[in-house]
Amino acid sequence: MEVAVASDEGVRPELSRQALSRRVLGTETLLVLALSLGASGVSALISFVGSLTEPGGLADQSAHLNSSRAPGRPWLDLAWQLFGIATALVPVALVAHLLLREGAPGLRALGLDRRRPWPDLGWGAAVAAGIGGCGLLLYFGARAAGFNLTVVPEGLPDVWWKYPVLVAAAVQNSVVEEVIVVGYLLRRLGQLGWSPWTALAASSLLRGSYHLYQGIGGFLGNVAMGVVFVLLYRRWGRVGPLVAAHALIDVVAFTGYGLLAGRVGWLP
C-alpha cells in the first residue's frame, strides 16, 4: 500500500516498507560485493582478456600470487603483506556489522564461531582432501590443454616470516570468500526472494569469476567448488567447515610450492 508523505519537493508516493527493505538489502549486497569479491571478479575478467590478447598461449603466461611487495627490503615487505591481509578482511567486518544491525548474532549467524571447532576442522580436512586433489588434477589438465595460465602460488623472499605470512594469507582468503560468497550472499539472496538454485548459481559463478585470471580451468574448477560448498553449507548450516577446508587447501598450495618449487620436476 502506498501512502503520500510531504517533502521539500511537494507530495510524492512513498515505497512500502517491504519494497524499501528489499531495495536497501539489494543495494547493500551490491555495495559489499563492489568492495570485495565482486570487484575482484571484474579485475580478474580484465586480466583474463589481457592474457587472451597477449602473444602466445595461456600456458606460456603466469599468474603470480603472494608476491613480494618490496623486493630487497624484507621489513617493508612484511609491513605491506600484513597491511594487505588486514585490509582484505575489512569487508568481513562490514558483513558482521550489517548482520548485527539486522538483529542477527553477527558472523555466528553464518556459522563462523568457536562452538564446534573440532567438527569444523575435521569436516574441513575431509572436504579439502577431496577437492584439493581433484583441483590439482584439473589444473594440470587445463594447463596441458592450453586453457590455463601457469599459477605461481608464492614469490616471497626466503626470510623468517615467509611461511607465517603464507598461512595468514591462506586463512584470510578462506574467511573472506566463504563468509561473503557463501554465508552472506546466500542469506541476502534468500531475503530478496531468489530461488535456492538461482542463488546457488549466482554464488558459484561469482566464485569462478574472481579466479578467471588463472584461465578457463581456474574458472570452471572454482565454479564446481562453489556448487559443492553451497550444498555443504545448506546441509551443515555453517561456514566454519568451509573456511577450514579452503584454508587447508591454500596452506598446502602456498607452502607446498615454496618448499618444492625447483626441487621437483613435475611442478612448473
Side-chain angles (χ1 to χ4, degrees), residues 11-265:
V11 178
R12 62 181 176 84
E14 186 64 57
L15 290 173
S16 69
R17 183 179 299 273
Q18 181 180 6
L20 179 61
S21 176
R22 288 169 63 89
R23 175 178 290 185
V24 169
L25 287 179
T27 301
E28 173 199 298
T29 304
L30 290 175
L31 288 174
V32 169
L33 294 179
L35 291 170
S36 58
L37 296 168
S40 297
V42 175
S43 174
L45 175 60
I46 296 171
S47 177
F48 179 62
V49 172
S51 297
L52 283 178
T53 54
E54 282 282 338
L58 292 177
D60 297 326
Q61 303 173 51
S62 58
H64 294 262
L65 313 178
N66 302 302
S67 299
S68 175
R69 301 284 297 275
R73 307 180 68 183
W75 285 104
L76 183 62
D77 201 347
L78 174 60
W80 277 119
Q81 298 296 333
L82 296 178
F83 173 78
I85 291 169
T87 53
L89 289 168
V90 171
V92 176
L94 175 60
V95 165
H97 167 74
L98 293 171
L99 291 173
L100 287 170
R101 194 179 64 175
E102 75 172 72
L107 297 180
R108 185 174 181 177
L110 308 180
L112 186 63
D113 51 42
R114 294 176 293 178
R115 287 179 296 170
R116 301 177 54 191
W118 296 115
D120 285 352
L121 182 59
W123 283 113
V127 173
I131 289 185
C134 294
L136 191 62
L137 292 175
L138 177 61
Y139 163 70
F140 283 121
R143 183 175 176 274
F147 297 145
N148 225 70
L149 286 76
T150 298
V151 178
V152 181
E154 71 87 16
L156 298 179
D158 289 325
V159 291
W160 64 269
W161 50 260
K162 173 177 180 174
Y163 291 102
V165 163
L166 289 175
V167 172
V171 173
Q172 169 250 298
N173 287 343
S174 63
V175 171
V176 171
E177 293 188 37
E178 306 318 323
V179 165
I180 294 177
V181 178
V182 179
Y184 171 76
L185 185 59
L186 291 180
R187 181 183 183 91
R188 285 293 183 259
L189 293 182
Q191 291 169 331
L192 290 169
W194 289 42
S195 72
W197 290 108
T198 306
L200 180 149
S203 174
S204 303
L205 289 171
L206 174 60
R207 186 187 295 268
S209 73
Y210 57 79
H211 288 94
L212 193 56
Y213 68 92
Q214 299 177 6
I216 298 173
F219 171 78
L220 294 177
N222 279 279
V223 168
M225 176 178 170
V227 171
V228 173
F229 272 30
V230 168
L231 294 177
L232 291 176
Y233 175 68
R234 287 176 174 165
R235 179 179 179 85
W236 294 329
R238 295 178 58 78
V239 298
L242 308 182
V243 169
H246 194 151
L248 289 171
I249 291 170
D250 281 4
V251 166
V252 171
F254 297 167
T255 62
Y257 186 88
L259 293 170
L260 298 178
R263 296 180 176 87
V264 295

